[in-house]
Amino acid sequence: MNKSSTRTIVATGLGAALFMVLFMFVKVPSPVPETNLEIAYGVSTFFAVVFGPVCGFLVAFIGHALNDFISYGSPWWSWIIASGTSALIAGLASKKVAPRIEEGEFGGNQLITFAIYTVIGQAVSWILIAPVLDIVLYSEPVNLVFTQGIIAFAMDTICAVVVGGLLLKAYAATRTGKGTLSKNN
């Protein structure tokens, strides 16, 4: 196993644990039932961009599934799949954004690219995947699930972009760019 894959596996485990804890304990309820502002989505987008879309998917999917098992005794698969998908799509920005972050840069262009992929991922997940799977898998009422989806999209997009963006900016600040170190004689 190479160094990069080991690093990604470790990041996935740590990210899923962090996602689960944040998902369980750090949330702000909305007026719509079972729909909360979740800081955890900023964490999953961070891991998706830094370690790749598969890592991001697994962080959100595993973290959300563990939360459901521990908190409710059974998983709500439609939202678990949507959580993973939102991070997977945000992680597609990693090829464009991560190399610059590793050089210590996370500025306007990287933030815009990150935000666009994140908004698309959140929209696909919460306006399409979660409501449709709620209807198909659980026979949930159409009006309720699309209302939940729209509210989840709005709240989770804000968290994913703001929290994820701040984490990426902080992480970039810890990286050293090419040519920024010089040898002292």
Side-chain angles (χ1 to χ4, degrees), residues 77-98:
W77 291 112
S78 54
W79 283 54
I80 293 168
I81 291 166
S83 287
T85 303
S86 69
L88 177 88
I89 294 171
L92 296 175
S94 66
K95 289 189 183 210
K96 295 179 179 180
V97 176

Side-chain angles (χ1 to χ4, degrees), residues 7 14-15 33 54 57 74-75 81 100 110 115 133 143 148 160 174 177:
R7 180 176 174 244
L14 290 172
V54 173
F57 174 85
S74 65
I81 291 166
R100 301 302 295 242
Q110 292 80 33
L133 288 178
N143 289 343
Q148 287 175 322
T174 69

Side-chain angles (χ1 to χ4, degrees), residues 49-64:
V49 170
V50 173
F51 299 100
V54 173
C55 175
F57 174 85
L58 291 171
V59 163
F61 185 89
I62 293 167
H64 193 148

